Amino acid sequence: MIADYTEAAVCHVDDMVDGELKEVRVGDTDVLLARADGQYYALYPKCSHYQGPLVKGLLHGNRLVCPWHNACFDVRTGHRLEAPALNGLPTHEVRIENNQVFVRLTTDKDSLENPLAALDDENTQTYVIVGGGGAGAFAAEGMREASFTGKIIMLTESQEGPYDRPNCSKDYLQGKAPDEWMPLRPADFYQDYGIEVRTSQRVVSLDPANKRIELASGETIQYDQALICPGGKPNELSVPGVELRGIYTLRSLHDSQILRELGQAGKRVVVVGSSFIGVEGAMSLRKLGSEVHIVGREEVPFEKNLGEKIGRLMQSWHEKEGIRFHLGRQVQRFDGDGVVNAVILDNGERILADFVLLGLGVKPQTDFLKGVTLDKDGGVNTNEFLQVTDGLFAAGDVARHPMPDGPQRIEHWKVAGQQGHVAGLNMARLGSGEPSQKAEPEPYRMAPFFWTNQQGKRINYVGHADKFDDIIYDGDPEKDEAFLALYVRGGIIKAAAGLKRDQDIIAIRELMQEGRMPAAESIREGFDWVQELKKS
């Protein structure tokens, strides 16, 4: 009898130790082999987010972390544990015979979502998500993962359902990512799980005391639990001429589509603001063939976040590609007859422009909230479970949540997705079923993670340091090679940034989350972060 499966011996039972990853071949298929707690596991070898090579990531206990964007999976089941991945990893059957490890191919490469509950028409509860970005998408799935079977309504001002927003300033803007890549899920996914995605819906009022939402259309919705995750709205620039046509922001898929068309025509563009999204947008427009100028108030781009050395390095990457910087400068006015044609700086310099991109950051979009005290920046304060008040939760750009160093509000895609997931789980656990049947809520304690792609180079950043008094370097940023930068305040490492140091960044994030970060002084003479993590 001929076997209808493919199987192969891939190693001796003692060839690998706990925490080790190895890519092996079974027939014509690449497989990731992992060992954790004395057991072998076999999985699809690429991250379900952007197909990052998981063998170059890190295995900590049962947590398998992708090197590129720190998506996390349970190595035992393949289930997705953390954003930005939505799908888990297919697994293969493993057996031990005569001290040999055999892997049998038991799935194809198509990954699957985590187990989700279905809509039950007899459940009369309604959960509403205000916002259709990453936080909203992960929240809806978190609710279903936690076995909520009632109605889920997602309200978004966007013309589209949840999509891959970080790509709007990168490959999509460059014309390298087709439209079909952008949705996080196909429309039938939301239909299958009873998640009603309502696009082009603007919320004008949310009253948590009465659990009522009012839309711009005049419609009102009563809810049992609500999550606010509307994201941010672009900061404005109050100078003469800002009302001229041809001045854009980059916040949505629609914005990216417009800018892509303009950029392909080889126009002259001035980007106002040297923020991450502003510089990424400038990079992408330059790749389309536009002549690009960046105007920034800072003397060095990203100096406040990453320090002068790394800021100057990143600036040099863009200058080599023909982008011109005007730093330490502000816009005095925009000139044009109905349509912008020039940007005038505070030193009198005149830069010709066919269009302008404003990249000045965002502020929380929370004007619709009633009876909720907002932070001075417009953010919403939550408890450790991301709960604002009874029946109301917050996630993403608007959420200011407690952390060991004090409340933080972080504007990053992975943070938004993971907060949305945790909030969705907690809404279901705290709001569904009889009190005796409710599961314990899950505190949100993830160390913040951020990545930026600049001229084909990816810098990963973990932690949060809005201020620092010292930077410890492992490697030299001025030589444009692999390096690690550790941001220190009061003798404590608050954050780290790395280029081509993916495993170190993962190890630092895991140590931060476990409260095991070493003192800054102990690592000045060199340090093995992965080995430090393995001491647990």
Side-chain angles (χ1 to χ4, degrees), residues 237-259:
L237 186 63
S238 297
V239 298
V242 74
E243 75 286 349
L244 292 169
R245 297 193 305 276
I247 298 176
Y248 302 93
T249 57
L250 178 50
R251 184 63 187 164
S252 69
L253 182 63
H254 183 63
D255 294 338
S256 187
Q257 291 166 343
I258 292 172
L259 292 167

Side-chain angles (χ1 to χ4, degrees), residues 209-372:
N210 295 295
K211 295 188 175 181
R212 184 174 63 241
I213 293 172
E214 182 180 343
L215 304 179
S217 65
E219 179 186 356
T220 60
I221 300 173
Q222 293 291 144
Y223 66 82
D224 294 283
Q225 301 270 340
L227 171 68
I228 50 171
C229 51
K233 53 184 176 182
N235 290 322
E236 298 175 352
L237 186 63
S238 297
V239 298
V242 74
E243 75 286 349
L244 292 169
R245 297 193 305 276
I247 298 176
Y248 302 93
T249 57
L250 178 50
R251 184 63 187 164
S252 69
L253 182 63
H254 183 63
D255 294 338
S256 187
Q257 291 166 343
I258 292 172
L259 292 167
R260 185 172 61 179
E261 291 178 8
L262 292 169
Q264 287 172 336
K267 302 285 188 179
R268 297 168 297 186
V269 56
V270 175
V271 178
V272 180
S274 51
S275 65
F276 284 105
I277 194 167
V279 177
E280 286 180 355
M283 169 189 70
S284 296
L285 291 167
R286 178 62 184 154
K287 289 182 181 296
L288 288 173
S290 291
E291 177 186 307
V292 181
H293 296 255
I294 296 176
V295 177
R297 292 186 178 186
E298 303 85 356
E299 295 291 340
V300 178
F302 314 122
E303 181 177 11
K304 180 181 177 181
N305 307 96
L306 300 174
E308 182 179 355
K309 282 186 179 182
I310 297 177
R312 291 197 184 281
L313 171 65
M314 294 169 71
Q315 179 182 343
S316 73
W317 295 341
H318 295 289
E319 288 176 333
K320 289 175 183 176
E321 299 301 323
I323 294 175
R324 304 175 197 175
F325 285 82
H326 307 260
L327 298 171
R329 301 265 65 93
Q330 298 184 46
V331 173
Q332 186 178 71
R333 71 177 188 274
F334 297 108
D335 280 356
D337 185 11
V339 180
V340 68
N341 61 31
V343 179
I344 313 302
L345 304 187
D346 55 356
N347 63 351
E349 184 179 1
R350 180 184 182 89
I351 309 174
L352 298 179
D354 296 305
F355 67 98
V356 170
L357 171 60
L358 301 180
L360 302 170
V362 299
K363 58 184 176 183
Q365 192 166 264
T366 51
D367 296 344
F368 60 89
L369 277 175
K370 308 300 179 186
V372 175

